[in-house]
């Protein structure tokens, strides 16, 4: 689309140019967060990507839940390893779904922490690895953007892996395993 | 904050449009034209917004591109000022002025037109003594790859940003959505959209959660 074409669809007064955001159904993010949690807890929480160095992830210090059909958070678990607590699994077994999850991610010698929030899987509170560059704003920005881009790529890689699993034929038996796990009979 | 330090909480957008070659000079003008400007009157109460440098919100000149363009990254910030009067104090002071007027004019009630005038005068006086509420949100624009990070998740801030960005550069911003990660896997995206949420209650049911 050219700039002029873009302008044709643009601000016609008070509205936001381009109109309202596309809504992603909230269950997709909730299932993604559940998959992240289960595969890190019961699986090994690692992805091997062809021609790329692998990375690992685990649930860090925060999980928040919502009731199905609602957007607002109605239960939050924080502290050390909240994902391993009986309360966390009980929330799932009781019909709650995940709204936000805080992940820790390690790739090579770099560690990230990030909250994935809401239906749009928004990146919030992203802590980047310690910076090597100091002083010069240009170097700081370039390094931070490199790290942000890596984090964005990692989240995208995880989402793609989830997407293939969720859209595949194996999801139903996988969901049965998660149900057993949520009920405390596995893991 | 987040572009230069601290944790990053940002919404990502795709820029719909092609950036002209040698855009630096052009965008210096556009940023300057839409930079934050102080109100001419201290009693101005409407919201004001515009671009400022990321290094200091009082720096509003973009002539030196070394201060906002770092290789492919254009980095600046949106400043929004709004003066808000303390409502309870305003009401109390207005009541006192109305009482004073009644006494001075030997009247029991203040006529509507006088009330409006007293209100306007007091509002002007108080606005002149009030500092604005200032909010800043940083912008990082990857001009090579056509995406922008806006360092705020607040809906109102994002709406203002999209309008100001469009007014300044002529580009529409499209919010990044999770399914964009699957842009080369449309069949997977379609199946995800058609799926329902996974219900982990012991009795196996799947519905849209």
């Amino acid at each position: 689309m050219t700039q002029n074409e873009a302008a044709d669809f643009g601000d016609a007064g008070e509205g936001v140019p381009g109109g309202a955001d596309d809504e992603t159904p909230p269950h997709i993010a909730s299932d993604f967060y559940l998959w992240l949690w289960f595969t890190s807890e019961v699986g090994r929480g690692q992805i091997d990507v062809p021609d790329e160095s692998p990375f690992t992830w685990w649930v860090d210090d925060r999980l928040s839940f919502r009731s199905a059909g609602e957007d607002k958070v109605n239960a939050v678990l924080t502290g050390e390893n909240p994902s391993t607590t009986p309360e966390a699994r009980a929330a799932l077994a009781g019909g709650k779904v995940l709204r936000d999850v805080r992940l820790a991610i390690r790739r090579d010698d770099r560690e990230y922490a990030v909250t994935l929030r809401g239906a749009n899987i928004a990146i919030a509170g992203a802590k980047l690895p310690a910076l090597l560059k100091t002083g010069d704003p240009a170097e700081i920005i370039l390094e931070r953007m490199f790290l942000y881009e890596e984090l964005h790529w990692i989240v995208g890689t995880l989402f793609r892996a989830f997407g293939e699993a969720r859209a595949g034929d194996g999801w139903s038996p996988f969901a049965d395993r998660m149900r057993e796990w949520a009920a405390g009979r596995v893991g | 904050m987040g572009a230069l330090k601290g944790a990053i909480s940002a919404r990502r957008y795709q820029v719909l449009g092609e950036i002209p070659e040698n855009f630096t000079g052009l965008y210096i003008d556009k940023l300057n034209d839409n930079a934050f400007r102080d109100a001419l009157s201290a009693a101005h109460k409407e919201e004001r917004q515009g671009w400022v440098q990321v290094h200091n919100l009082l720096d509003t000149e973009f002539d030196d591109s070394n201060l906002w363009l770092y290789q492919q990254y254009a980095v600046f910030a949106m400043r929004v000022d709004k003066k808000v009067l303390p409502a309870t104090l305003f009401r109390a002071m207005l009541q006192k002025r109305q009482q004073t007027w009644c006494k001075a004019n030997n009247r029991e009630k203040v006529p509507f037109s006088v009330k409006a005038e007293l209100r306007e005068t007091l509002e002007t006086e108080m606005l002149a003594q009030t500092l604005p509420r200032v909010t800043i949100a940083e912008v990082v624009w990857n001009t090579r790859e056509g995406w922008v990070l806006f360092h705020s998740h607040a809906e109102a801030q994002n709406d203002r940003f999209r309008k100001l960005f469009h007014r300044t550069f002529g580009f529409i911003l499209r919010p990044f959505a999770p399914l964009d990660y699957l842009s080369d896997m449309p069949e997977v995206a379609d199946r995800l959209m058609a799926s329902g949420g996974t219900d982990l209650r012991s009795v196996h049911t799947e519905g849209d959660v």
Side-chain angles (χ1 to χ4, degrees), chain A residues 1-3 6-7 9-11 13-28 30-31 34 66 68-69 92-95 97 117 119-128 131 137-138 140-142 144-146 148-149 152 155-157 159-160 162-164 166-169 171-172 175-176 178-179 181-183 185, chain B residues 1-13 16-20 27 30 54-55 70-73 75 140 142 145 147 149 151 153 155 158-160 162-163 166-167 169-179 181-185 187-189 191-209:
Chain A
M1 183 183 283
T2 67
Q3 187 169 340
F9 299 101
D11 197 353
E14 294 302 310
V16 175
D21 298 359
D22 292 336
E23 293 290 333
T24 304
H27 70 265
I28 293 177
S30 293
D31 272 6
L34 174 63
R66 62 179 175 87
L92 294 175
V97 296
R117 184 184 292 166
N120 281 324
I121 313 182
I123 286 182
K127 284 189 181 172
L128 304 178
L131 291 171
I140 291 172
I141 284 170
L142 292 175
R144 284 175 68 82
M145 284 302 103
F146 167 81
Y148 164 79
E149 272 296 273
H152 181 74
V155 174
T157 301
F159 189 77
R160 290 164 68 87
F162 155 74
E164 287 186 315
R166 182 65 184 90
D169 295 334
W171 186 260
S172 184
D176 287 338
M178 291 196 292
R179 221 165 268 120
W181 165 72
R185 293 191 285 267
Chain B
M1 292 303 168
L4 286 167
K5 62 182 177 183
I8 291 179
S9 290
R11 193 173 290 188
R12 184 177 173 118
Y13 292 94
L16 300 182
E18 290 163 18
I19 296 166
Y27 286 3
K30 288 179 180 291
V54 76
H55 310 288
Y70 305 99
Q71 294 187 16
Q72 73 268 39
Y73 296 107
V75 183
V140 180
N142 186 327
E145 296 177 6
W147 54 260
L149 282 188
H151 289 254
H153 283 299
E155 287 299 330
N158 275 270
D159 287 351
R160 285 188 195 98
R162 291 169 71 183
K163 289 179 190 175
H166 182 256
R167 199 184 312 145
F169 302 107
F171 293 126
I172 289 173
L173 297 177
R174 190 179 72 79
F176 184 86
L179 295 183
Y181 288 125
L182 306 176
S183 57
D184 59 339
M185 304 161 73
E187 69 291 346
V188 172
R191 292 195 70 176
L192 274 188
M193 287 295 282
S195 69
T198 303
D199 186 345
L200 293 194
R201 283 175 290 190
S202 296
V203 178
H204 181 137
T205 53
E206 282 204 11
D208 185 4
V209 294

Side-chain angles (χ1 to χ4, degrees), chain A residues 60-126:
Chain A
D60 194 11
D61 56 1
R62 191 176 197 277
L63 288 167
S64 70
F65 298 85
R66 62 179 175 87
S67 294
E70 293 181 7
D71 180 53
K72 68 176 184 186
V73 172
N74 60 14
V76 179
L77 293 174
T78 59
E80 201 171 335
N81 303 321
S83 63
T84 62
T85 61
E87 291 87 349
R89 292 187 195 181
L92 294 175
K96 287 186 169 57
V97 296
L98 285 162
R99 186 183 181 279
D100 315 311
V101 60
R102 186 154 182 87
L103 292 184
I105 296 163
R106 181 181 296 134
R107 189 182 192 210
D108 299 330
D109 59 348
R110 298 184 293 283
E111 285 196 12
Y112 299 85
V114 61
T115 299
L116 303 179
R117 184 184 292 166
N120 281 324
I121 313 182
I123 286 182

Side-chain angles (χ1 to χ4, degrees), chain A residues 32-49 53-60 83 103-108 110 112 154 157-158 161 174 177:
Chain A
F32 176 46
Y33 302 154
L34 174 63
W35 178 87
L36 287 168
W37 179 7
F38 181 75
T39 50
S40 67
E41 196 97 0
V42 177
R44 58 190 184 125
Q46 177 170 322
I47 278 191
D48 299 313
V49 188
S53 59
F55 58 86
T56 57
W57 76 93
W58 61 96
V59 174
D60 194 11
S83 63
L103 292 184
I105 296 163
R106 181 181 296 134
R107 189 182 192 210
D108 299 330
R110 298 184 293 283
Y112 299 85
I154 287 171
T157 301
L158 289 168
F174 187 77
R177 283 180 60 205

Side-chain angles (χ1 to χ4, degrees), chain B:
Chain B
M1 292 303 168
L4 286 167
K5 62 182 177 183
I8 291 179
S9 290
R11 193 173 290 188
R12 184 177 173 118
Y13 292 94
Q14 181 189 354
V15 181
L16 300 182
E18 290 163 18
I19 296 166
E21 286 183 28
N22 304 318
F23 62 85
T24 308
L26 178 64
Y27 286 3
I28 283 173
D29 292 340
K30 288 179 180 291
L31 285 165
N32 280 334
D33 289 346
N34 291 275
F36 183 87
R37 298 284 177 249
D38 284 320
L40 295 175
S41 160
H44 187 89
K45 73 170 183 178
E46 302 304 322
E47 184 180 282
R48 300 186 66 79
Q49 55 189 268
W51 307 120
V52 297
Q53 281 189 27
V54 76
H55 310 288
N56 189 313
L57 63 86
L58 299 178
D59 290 333
T60 56
E61 298 293 335
F62 292 88
D63 294 336
D64 183 355
S65 62
N66 292 316
L67 295 174
W68 60 270
L69 187 60
Y70 305 99
Q71 294 187 16
Q72 73 268 39
Y73 296 107
V75 183
F76 42 92
M78 184 179 78
R79 173 176 167 180
V80 179
D81 280 20
K82 186 164 177 59
K83 284 191 173 182
V84 180
L85 296 180
T88 49
L89 179 61
F90 181 83
R91 277 197 300 272
M93 290 179 72
L94 183 60
Q95 191 178 29
K96 286 290 180 196
R97 293 208 177 181
Q98 288 172 349
Q99 288 169 354
T100 303
W101 187 92
C102 286
K103 203 172 176 182
N105 293 277
N106 200 24
R107 300 271 290 269
E108 275 191 24
K109 282 188 173 178
V110 183
F112 183 79
S113 61
V114 176
K115 247 185 203 174
E117 194 181 321
L118 289 175
R119 172 182 289 273
E120 192 176 325
T121 305
L122 178 61
E123 189 176 83
T124 303
E125 287 174 18
M126 288 183 73
L127 281 170
Q129 297 169 16
T130 304
L131 289 173
R133 187 186 63 210
V134 179
T135 56
I136 289 286
E138 296 173 334
V139 180
V140 180
W141 179 4
N142 186 327
T143 58
R144 196 175 296 160
E145 296 177 6
W147 54 260
V148 170
L149 282 188
F150 181 63
H151 289 254
S152 169
H153 283 299
E155 287 299 330
Q157 281 284 78
N158 275 270
D159 287 351
R160 285 188 195 98
F161 167 63
R162 291 169 71 183
K163 289 179 190 175
L164 184 58
F165 194 92
H166 182 256
R167 199 184 312 145
T168 304
F169 302 107
F171 293 126
I172 289 173
L173 297 177
R174 190 179 72 79
F176 184 86
L179 295 183
D180 290 340
Y181 288 125
L182 306 176
S183 57
D184 59 339
M185 304 161 73
E187 69 291 346
V188 172
D190 288 346
R191 292 195 70 176
L192 274 188
M193 287 295 282
S195 69
T198 303
D199 186 345
L200 293 194
R201 283 175 290 190
S202 296
V203 178
H204 181 137
T205 53
E206 282 204 11
D208 185 4
V209 294

